[in-house]
Amino acid sequence: MKHFETELIRYKENNLFVENVSIEKLAEEFGTPLYVYSKNHFINQYKRFENAFKEIEFQIFYAMKANYNLSVINTFIKLGSGVDANSEGELWRALKTGIDPSNIILTSVGKTRHEIKLGIEKNILMIKAESEEEVMLINKIAEECNRTANVAIRVNPDVDAKTHPYISTGLSGNKFGIDTKTALSIYKRRSEFRNIRFTGIDMHIGSQITDIDPFIEAVEKLSELYFDLKNQGLQFDHFDVGGGIGVAYNEDSVFSIEEFAEKTIPIFKELQCKILFEPGRFLTANGGVLITEVLYNKKNGDKNFIIVDAAMNDLLRPTIYEAYHHIQPVKKHNRIDLIADIVGPVCESGDYFAKNREISATKSGELLAIMSAGAYGMVMSSNYNARRRPAEILVNGNKYDLIRSRETFDHLIWDEKII
Ligand code: LLP
């Protein structure tokens, strides 16, 4: 079988390490299933992003939905990042880290009145508007608060990001954003919205984008609209490209951030305003692993199953997007490879991490690492089957910290009553 390694998550003498810490040791101390993150992977990815765009004025707003453990958010904030928050809960989490609210963007296709009010009261950088009705509501709430709300319209550029349909957001058939014509008309009628200052223009066409062309096409389309509006006297502070840059989960070919920068910087330079980015996966995905223990090996007819102690409730991506996550032993060995389904204990046939996967034969009690689990892993976990969410560990060189402990059974019933 193949082994997937990164600069900071790799084998040392046949044992998988996150930075300088052995995964086996962490599993012994904290049990499994266990999320382990490499802090320096997060930092390196952030710096790589920064470096690629150093020629222009820009700011990164970490899309915290990818991994919103407070320590993870804090790692990025300390590097100068803002955050893109998608709900009151995310806003609240971000504020808990002590972030300056002027470094927060509030997204979401369906913000409640309360969320909008909160965004205005906290004086965040901007609220993204995703419908004309929302623009009207933001204006009304801002008027009631006697404030001016900073708003950017999320434009749906009608470009196919060529990613999984569930994570494609930039087509006119998707629920996201406002089509170009309507956006143009709202911006033109800006004087009607007396309590709104339109500070920018925004897009986000999808996630795990591996083909650079649709991305460039969307940037070009949005910049055309930008110039159109500029010619009509609108002065924007920022142009927000959203997130979506894909990462390699396997041997996928993905454009590099440097290539993306090379192709977009000439466009950005012409805009003469600050460029905002909202990466989530790019910063975190390959900095995380989910560690699980093999419970059983079995054969049903000709089919091999490896049953592990993690389940779909811990990492949902394979189940809902048929997403590939590489799976490999924490301790390398020379047993023969077999083709197996790697499945969890939950009572659903959809509870799997891999189907018909080549993997070297496992033994009960051994550890497996489910790779690239640093984005959209823990944040999408649930308590289905009354399973407790895993613990999370952040490794930094030789050091490691428990940044969230495993849930207890009391956590699961803390607000329930028996009547
Ligand atoms: N900005 C906005 C407005 C977004 O909706 C998203 C992700 C991002 C930025 C960050 O995108 P990224 O750079 O991480 O691709 N659960 C799915 C991914 C859903 C992404 C939703 N929006 C998955 O596990 O693949």
Side-chain angles (χ1 to χ4, degrees), residues 63 65-66 84 86 107 128 154 167 169 176 204 206-208 242-245 249 278-282 317 321 375-376 380:
K65 59 171 78 74
D84 170 60
N86 199 71
T107 310
K128 279 189 217 166
R154 173 168 174 182
I167 49 175
T169 54
F176 297 96
H204 170 76
S207 195
Q208 184 54 11
I245 293 160
Y249 281 85
E278 302 166 359
R281 189 188 315 265
F282 176 85
R317 303 193 69 255
Y321 316 116
Y376 306 108
M380 292 174 71

Side-chain angles (χ1 to χ4, degrees), residues 366-416:
E366 282 178 350
L367 297 171
L368 293 178
I370 306 178
M371 306 301 287
S372 314
Y376 306 108
M378 183 64 172
V379 288
M380 292 174 71
S381 64
S382 77
N383 294 119
Y384 187 39
N385 275 202
R387 288 170 54 86
R388 296 168 296 158
R389 271 177 249 251
E392 294 178 289
I393 307 290
L394 186 63
V395 175
N396 181 12
N398 298 321
K399 261 187 53 204
Y400 55 88
D401 288 290
L402 177 66
I403 55 171
R404 177 174 163 146
S405 43
R406 187 175 307 286
E407 284 179 340
T408 64
F409 289 111
D410 283 335
H411 275 129
L412 302 191
I413 55 163
W414 73 273
D415 62 345
E416 285 182 41

Side-chain angles (χ1 to χ4, degrees), residues 120 137-149 195:
I120 295 172
L137 183 61
I138 296 173
N139 188 53
K140 185 158 172 275
I141 297 173
E143 192 185 337
E144 286 162 11
C145 299
N146 207 9
R147 298 281 274 272
T148 302
N195 291 74

